[in-house]
Amino acid sequence: MPQSLAQLWIHIIFSTKARYPFFQDPLLRDEVFAYLSEVCRRVDCPSALTGGHRDHVHILCRQSKNLSTSQLVGELKRQSSKWIKAKGGMLSKFYWQGGYGAFSVGPSQLGPIKDYIRKQEEHHKQVDFKTEFRRFLDRYQVAYDERYVWD
């Protein structure tokens, strides 16, 4: 086959360092999500939806065939961290956590995942980030050691 074709969707989740709630301000949160979506677009991994809550993000994007997941997340964190810190004040102390979660998404699950991301504010009235992330790890049958999941 002379052409390489791919349609891979991934749901990426990562939090702020120690889950500090840097994004309490909804306007800032929206700016950060928009910026992360722009980074995705620039690296040929267009975001279908980027959202999250006060201390973490969810990105549903199409994976480029030319970029590994770790390269994508590295770019997202590097570029957004620099941009966030440049805003000054308390944000000058901003850091993302060291790790991330990335989960494959089939075409039939795009709608439900988008709905899930849209409802983060409501969802986190009942569930904290750690519980949410553990549920994803369990749902996707990812083996993990609790000692090394959090920073």
Side-chain angles (χ1 to χ4, degrees), residues 37 46-51 58-61 113-118:
S37 291
S47 168
L49 187 63
T50 299
H58 292 261
I59 301 169
L60 176 61
C61 65
I113 294 294
K114 285 180 188 178
D115 287 342
Y116 181 82
I117 294 171
R118 280 188 198 103

Side-chain angles (χ1 to χ4, degrees), residues 26-94:
L27 294 175
L28 172 64
R29 202 177 321 161
D30 289 345
E31 281 185 67
V32 170
F33 300 158
Y35 189 84
L36 287 164
S37 291
E38 175 59 21
V39 173
C40 284
R41 188 194 61 75
R42 279 188 253 153
V43 297
D44 195 30
C45 296
S47 168
L49 187 63
T50 299
H53 200 52
R54 296 175 176 145
D55 61 355
H56 69 281
V57 298
H58 292 261
I59 301 169
L60 176 61
C61 65
R62 194 180 73 223
Q63 177 74 48
S64 168
K65 65 181 189 266
N66 300 315
L67 200 65
S68 72
T69 302
S70 64
Q71 289 171 316
L72 169 58
V73 174
E75 279 302 299
L76 286 163
K77 288 182 176 183
R78 184 183 65 76
Q79 290 187 39
S80 63
S81 183
K82 183 178 176 181
W83 179 81
I84 292 166
K85 286 179 181 188
K87 291 190 161 293
M90 180 62 176
L91 293 173
S92 64
K93 299 177 185 198
F94 178 82

Side-chain angles (χ1 to χ4, degrees), residues 96-124:
W96 291 114
Q97 75 173 106
Y100 64 91
F103 308 96
S104 60
V105 178
S108 66
Q109 290 303 306
L110 292 173
I113 294 294
K114 285 180 188 178
D115 287 342
Y116 181 82
I117 294 171
R118 280 188 198 103
K119 294 177 182 172
Q120 285 292 292
E121 189 77 29
E122 180 182 319
H123 174 70
H124 285 291

